[in-house]
Amino acid sequence: DAGVIQSPRHEVTEMGQEVTLRCKLISGHNSLFWYRQTMMRGLELLIYFNNNVPIDDSGMPEDRFSAKMPNASFSTLKIQPSEPRDSAVYFCAVGGDPSSYNEQFFGPGTRLTVL
Amino acid sequence: KNEVEQSPQNLTAQEGEFITINCSYSVGISALHWLQQHPGGGIVSLFMLSSGKKKHGRLIATINIQEKHSSLHITASHPRDSAVYICAVLNFGNEKLTFGTGTRLTIIP
């Protein structure tokens, strides 16, 4: 258990509203990843951080999405304004230990529904 | 063509059967990840391997780097093994995972 806590676990909101997803890390890891999972596209990497610095955000769909990692134990993913096509499960994962091949450990996910 | 292909997409078997799930990839990788996702949605890391074979309980994962192929085996399958099994590869030079589409396994009592 890598100790990844995500909140909220479920979020239902209306189109146009701002949504903030949170990820809290209990154990120390070098890297943090945000993923989105949908039935149509499966798991997709949105962005990842290494030592709190964004390394690759090429998976972020558009400017409506932003992510921050202000310290080593906390990250947020914000969607503003939200749209129905953003409905998905969003996972936060940690990794970055080369001695274990950068194995990743996932949080429980946040199920987002945008009406 | 996806970089990571899994087969079969769906698999239903009787309790006790030996299960094999396959993963083929088309790019050079530094390691391969097998993940398990239960109906409740949580994703659990089963194995991370770069060569040879790893075993954990009734689960065995093998990888052949030359053939760009990995298999996940489950011995003495049990209904609680019912889940989606996802193969993901770690590309050289970075920490990004590329995911397969998953194999949905259903074990019938």
Side-chain angles (χ1 to χ4, degrees), chain A residues 34-54:
Chain A
W34 280 103
Y35 294 100
R36 178 172 67 177
Q37 185 179 39
T38 61
M39 288 291 291
M40 290 294 294
R41 300 171 68 92
L43 274 163
E44 301 174 282
L45 176 67
L46 299 175
I47 185 172
Y48 84 93
F49 297 83
N50 185 271
N51 292 323
N52 310 345
V53 175

Side-chain angles (χ1 to χ4, degrees), chain A:
Chain A
D1 181 5
V4 182
I5 300 172
Q6 290 187 246
S7 63
R9 295 294 308 276
H10 301 272
E11 176 83 15
V12 180
T13 191
E14 291 188 345
M15 183 174 66
Q17 296 297 306
E18 177 180 298
V19 175
T20 299
L21 311 181
R22 296 174 176 81
C23 179
K24 183 176 179 181
L25 320 181
I26 303 300
S27 305
H29 285 84
N30 293 330
S31 299
L32 182 140
F33 305 80
W34 280 103
Y35 294 100
R36 178 172 67 177
Q37 185 179 39
T38 61
M39 288 291 291
M40 290 294 294
R41 300 171 68 92
L43 274 163
E44 301 174 282
L45 176 67
L46 299 175
I47 185 172
Y48 84 93
F49 297 83
N50 185 271
N51 292 323
N52 310 345
V53 175
I55 301 300
D56 187 333
D57 65 355
S58 59
M60 296 285 262
E62 48 199 90
D63 291 345
R64 297 184 298 106
F65 284 67
S66 62
K68 294 182 179 179
M69 191 166 184
N71 58 61
S73 60
F74 185 70
S75 178
T76 59
L77 177 68
K78 185 176 294 186
I79 309 172
Q80 166 64 17
S82 58
E83 297 182 2
R85 61 190 166 124
D86 301 330
S87 298
V89 181
Y90 291 81
F91 289 98
C92 172
V94 296
D97 180 359
S99 68
S100 65
Y101 306 111
N102 295 313
E103 185 173 8
Q104 294 187 20
F105 302 94
F106 288 72
T110 295
R111 183 174 297 275
L112 173 65
T113 303
V114 184
L115 302 174

